[in-house]
Amino acid sequence: MEEHGVFAAILASGDNTFKYYSEGEWKVSTSGKSVPIINPTTRKTQFKVQACTQEEVNKVMESAKNAQKSWAKTPLWKRAELLHKAAAILKDHKKPIAECLVKEIAKPAKDAATEVVRSGDLVSYCAEEGVRILGEGKFLVSDSFPGNERTKYCLTSKVPLGVVLAIPPFNYPVNLAVSKIAPALIAGNSLVLKPPTQGAVSALHMVHCFHLAGFPKGVISCVTGKGSEIGDFLTMHPGVNCISFTGGDTGIAISRKAGMIPLQMELGGKDACIILEDADLDLAAASIVKGGFSYSGQRCTAVKVVLVMESIADTLVKKVNEKLGKLTVGPPENDCDITPVVTESSANFIESLVMDAKKKGATFCQEYKREGNLIWPLLLDNVKPEMRIAWEEPFGPVLPVIRIGNAEEGIHHCNASNFGLQGCIFTKDINKAMLISDAMETGTVQINSAPARGPDHFPFQGLKDSGIGSQGVASSINMMTKIKSTVINLPTPSYAMG
Ligand code: NAP
């Protein structure tokens, strides 16, 4: 196990079964069961993680609750210092973590390394922002409200919620985990992570970086197992004081079951890209290919439907097709642009959308091609509202184009969606862009660029079925704290003297 270096501690047996992290220690579950992680490229078991039991979850929650009390009393600058240390360790170990991302979720090699570095930067940024946001409070006086004398001084500060449960999705198992972990910890909460099964081993490596940084036991924990098996027990656990979830419709079900606790839900999207007649079509085509096909379309903010004015549609489609022809298709180890999608069932789902569009008369700009989980990039032109792909999120390298007669039609399609994550507009007319942006019911609108979550400190939120609350550094820290007031009552108005 020597070749695993510092990560040997997280291995349970042989080369491919990993422990879970509880009470500051790496442990093997008493269930005696493990969950396989299938490599999307080879479609063989790559790793295994522990199938944690309900008793083990109870233990983790208890230790998280106990640890949180003293963690909240740890000076803010010390909490920040530990986060900076974890960030540095994470970045130092980007290679082995990126290798896990390549094997578990078929992320292209360069993007995998970028995810780890970006995550380290996000942890550091949270530490810096946290000391400022949490270092300030408010001071209010009573006589600003009608009928009151100046007899009360109110001091407010932000205090932690307690135990935060973080559940990220497979597509950014490190970055979307730290986007929850760092704000929770800087704010004085303890954190329990339930990583996605595909991506769990990358996440366990990341957690080990926090362990190596020296966080007190119980402040951060990580339980593994299938969401369908331990998910309800975790999300309905009475020890949880806040849930930060990123994923698909599962989040809607969790919102219905969770108790009276703050929820941060970052869910799916069907990001529309509206292209007007005066748009820079080279820029639009490049953005559509990058936005729609990076990581094989498996991004919440991927361009998921193109709404282009009929008069420029032929030119745009031609430009997009030229660029699609240049994308490399193959294994993530070779850093190909298009790599296998995460599971066979995802590939089957994508195929079902493609076949539905075929049956209903969409124009195939390329031949549909699939080998195992690998699907070649495909642009579907002349998509109509009766086709499922006009509304559903394929989460794969397949993009529908709908031709529109005017901007209102584009806005109407965007707003008729259940989702409302992001959208984008391509035009040279900034006034028109602003009007369309105002009319689009999405959490963010990008003007002259594809939708994107980053930079990671920007607020990021979805409307409708795309989520509750806002993510981003400041918004997450605020969401993971509550206001505590102390009121000083004076016997006589403060202006009575002198
Ligand atoms: P998912 O199937 O909803 O899974 C997300 C997480 O939920 C995983 O960790 C999963 O664990 C867990 N889970 C499953 N069942 C659960 C349950 N009953 N209770 C609690 N947790 C449970 O989503 P995904 O396939 O990983 O990710 C793709 C989706 O995420 C897409 O819809 C995408 O748009 C969305 N997404 C949104 C954002 C955003 O910020 N808005 C960002 C990225 C992705 P297991 O893996 O063990 O099942």
Side-chain angles (χ1 to χ4, degrees), residues 270 346-360 362 364 378 380 387-396 398:
K270 184 72 184 173
S346 298
N348 292 344
F349 175 72
I350 297 162
E351 186 165 295
S352 75
L353 294 182
V354 171
M355 292 309 145
D356 174 77
K358 186 175 189 182
K359 202 170 69 199
K360 293 173 184 162
F364 278 51
L378 175 63
L380 296 172
M387 299 175 191
R388 285 173 56 203
I389 202 157
W391 306 104
E392 295 181 40
E393 185 186 26
F395 233 57
V398 173

Side-chain angles (χ1 to χ4, degrees), residues 48-328:
K48 289 180 193 159
V49 289
Q50 307 297 310
C52 290
T53 65
Q54 295 190 350
E55 289 70 35
E56 285 158 350
V57 169
N58 285 337
K59 199 94 190 130
V60 158
M61 292 298 173
E62 197 187 313
S63 87
K65 187 177 175 181
N66 293 336
Q68 192 267 329
K69 292 195 172 42
S70 44
W71 178 241
K73 290 179 189 150
T74 304
L76 187 49
W77 67 265
K78 269 197 184 174
R79 300 205 296 257
E81 203 172 72
L82 273 177
L83 282 168
H84 282 301
K85 205 167 162 194
I89 297 171
L90 189 61
K91 285 162 85 169
D92 280 351
H93 294 92
K94 76 170 181 196
K95 197 160 174 268
I97 303 176
E99 277 167 13
C100 294
L101 288 168
V102 168
K103 288 178 188 150
E104 281 187 295
I105 60 163
K107 185 158 281 195
K110 276 192 193 137
D111 291 353
T114 305
E115 175 171 346
V116 182
V117 174
R118 168 186 178 186
S119 300
D121 291 339
L122 176 54
V123 173
S124 287
Y125 194 98
C126 270
E128 284 169 22
E129 190 81 335
V131 290
R132 289 180 234 305
I133 294 178
L134 298 159
E136 283 181 1
K138 266 192 169 178
F139 172 64
L140 293 92
V141 288
S142 50
D143 66 340
S144 57
F145 199 87
N148 285 274
E149 297 292 348
R150 203 177 180 89
T151 51
K152 291 173 189 285
Y153 292 155
C154 178
L155 302 167
T156 75
S157 62
K158 293 188 179 97
V159 295
L161 297 174
V163 178
V164 175
L165 172 65
I167 307 182
F170 81 83
N171 59 347
Y172 290 89
V174 175
N175 184 261
L176 284 170
V178 302
S179 75
K180 304 170 187 314
I181 294 170
L185 296 186
I186 190 67
N189 299 287
S190 56
L191 185 124
V192 176
L193 174 69
K194 176 358 225 161
T197 295
Q198 298 289 143
V201 172
S202 316
L204 290 167
H205 280 68
M206 175 272 296
V207 169
H208 193 50
C209 296
F210 283 76
H211 171 81
L212 294 172
F215 278 82
K217 70 174 193 177
V219 167
I220 176 167
S221 320
C222 183
V223 289
T224 50
K226 278 191 191 159
S228 54
E229 285 169 15
I230 58 163
D232 281 356
F233 190 72
L234 277 163
T235 53
M236 294 197 280
H237 199 284
V240 171
N241 304 112
C242 169
I243 301 174
S244 177
F245 176 92
T246 306
D249 287 352
T250 321
I252 298 175
I254 292 173
S255 308
R256 294 199 178 109
K257 291 183 225 166
M260 202 174 71
I261 54 171
L263 300 177
Q264 187 179 46
M265 293 282 158
E266 298 294 344
L267 311 182
K270 184 72 184 173
D271 293 7
C273 179
I274 299 178
I275 303 174
L276 302 187
E277 275 151 333
D278 68 341
D280 175 339
L281 294 187
D282 289 317
L283 174 69
S287 303
I288 287 168
V289 173
K290 187 161 186 284
F293 295 88
S294 297
Y295 187 34
S296 308
Q298 298 172 112
R299 294 165 53 249
C300 55
T301 54
V303 170
K304 294 196 182 115
V305 56
V306 175
L307 302 161
V308 57
M309 296 287 279
E310 178 68 62
S311 58
I312 49 160
D314 286 344
T315 316
L316 179 83
V317 165
K318 188 163 170 275
K319 285 180 188 287
V320 172
N321 281 331
E322 276 165 15
K323 290 184 190 301
L324 286 187
K326 292 186 187 140
L327 295 184
T328 53

